[in-house]
Amino acid sequence: MARDLATALGMEKLPRATLAVREGEVLPYPTYTVRPVSLEVFENFWISGALWLPAGDGPHPGLLVAHGHFGEGKSSGESQAPAHAMAARGWAVLALDTPGVEESNVPGRQIHH
């Protein structure tokens, strides 16, 4: 029944992609680095994020930061402050944007406002 409803509403299933990663320029800090990243989670559907990595080989404990309802996504102070604080304490931190956040100017990506 759910499939019939999705078809009736014109909602197609998005084809999964092999997880592809685009990496931006590394931003150095005294004890860690920050790197912008984008992940292709569905074919031609990318989610932006940022990766904080502490210095040293690791392994490092990891933390995922979800930005909540802040319109600035991973760039909001509410996401940045804990990510920087945890990276400075030796944690690897990945902050991901909800799809569409910070990308509302990309055609077809105005998912929410």
Side-chain angles (χ1 to χ4, degrees), residues 19-88:
L19 186 62
V21 179
R22 293 181 187 154
E23 299 180 15
E25 185 177 331
V26 172
L27 305 170
Y29 286 83
T31 60
Y32 58 94
T33 60
V34 181
R35 177 187 298 270
V37 295
S38 293
L39 309 173
E40 186 181 26
V41 293
F42 297 105
E43 288 182 16
N44 299 312
F45 192 94
W46 294 79
I47 294 177
S48 58
L51 178 63
W52 284 255
L53 287 176
D57 292 332
H60 305 288
L63 177 68
L64 179 64
V65 173
H67 62 78
H69 294 282
F70 302 107
E72 298 171 324
K74 69 182 174 315
S75 297
S76 70
E78 292 83 357
S79 294
Q80 293 279 316
H84 283 281
M86 295 306 288

